[in-house]
Amino acid sequence: LLQHAYGAAVDVPLALAPQLYGLADRFQLRTDLGERLLLWLSTVDVEPAVLCELVPAAHTLCPAACRINLYMRAGHVWESVMKSPALGSWPVDAVAAVVAEAPASSGVAVAQAWMEAQPQAAKQRHRWPELLDAVQWGDATTSQLERIRHDSSAAAVPGLLDCVMDELFRRLKRLGG
């Protein structure tokens, strides 16, 4: 940050970009550094493992980049996100944002993976409504909803079967009315 403030070129590793953006924002630098970092984070195309490491810091320090790019990218590579050891460190609202970008059944799987990655998952059970509210139930096919409903782990997720049944009933009403 000091190098930039004194006119020097700055070579920033991607992993430090959110922190540098946060500092530039916090100290209200009147340079284009913040804009450049935001643009970079908003357009970066990285491997899923790097993305999984980047999201927690970017979520806190550079939320605009997450809304513009990072959540969508994570939603498209949800399988890698689920397998990432970094997923457990994500804030719940970052997980919910990715769940909203993923297909419905995939979003549920990401939420389950996050919950399983929590050191004390039982203490996080109150987070299920927030995660399930983020799922794009209307985008799921009826067969996907049926698969979720019949999955052996569905009953262990508080509210999951209610969400699935609510969506199925909405569809039934549209057909009949």
Side-chain angles (χ1 to χ4, degrees):
L1 189 60
L2 288 174
Q3 285 178 317
H4 176 76
Y6 288 105
V10 180
D11 184 24
V12 179
L14 181 60
L16 295 179
Q19 288 85 347
L20 187 56
Y21 176 86
L23 286 171
D25 186 51
R26 180 175 177 200
F27 293 112
Q28 299 177 353
L29 288 184
R30 301 200 187 281
T31 67
D32 64 348
L33 177 64
E35 291 174 15
R36 286 183 183 190
L37 289 167
L38 177 60
L39 179 63
W40 184 27
L41 288 168
S42 298
T43 58
V44 70
D45 185 14
V46 295
E47 293 296 316
V50 174
L51 179 65
C52 289
E53 296 289 335
L54 186 62
V55 166
H59 173 79
T60 302
L61 300 167
C62 193
C66 287
R67 287 189 305 273
I68 294 168
N69 179 38
L70 300 178
Y71 294 146
M72 180 188 64
R73 288 198 184 279
H76 287 119
V77 294
W78 61 269
E79 288 177 326
S80 297
V81 169
M82 284 178 39
K83 295 173 187 169
S84 172
L87 180 62
S89 68
W90 285 25
V92 68
D93 47 338
V95 177
V98 171
V99 165
E101 293 290 337
S105 57
S106 307
V108 171
V110 169
Q112 286 176 312
W114 180 82
M115 195 62 75
E116 290 169 6
Q118 298 307 299
Q120 296 179 325
K123 290 187 176 185
Q124 297 296 332
R125 287 179 64 83
H126 70 283
R127 299 296 192 169
W128 274 116
E130 182 178 354
L131 294 170
L132 293 175
D133 284 347
V135 174
Q136 300 301 309
W137 297 110
D139 293 345
T141 65
T142 302
S143 63
Q144 288 171 328
L145 292 170
E146 287 294 330
R147 268 196 306 275
I148 294 170
R149 189 168 75 95
H150 294 294
D151 187 285
S152 61
S153 65
V157 177
L160 177 58
L161 293 176
D162 292 337
C163 290
V164 171
M165 293 308 293
D166 287 349
E167 180 59 31
L168 289 170
F169 284 132
R170 267 193 291 281
R171 292 173 187 205
L172 189 59
K173 278 184 178 179
R174 278 188 294 223
L175 288 175

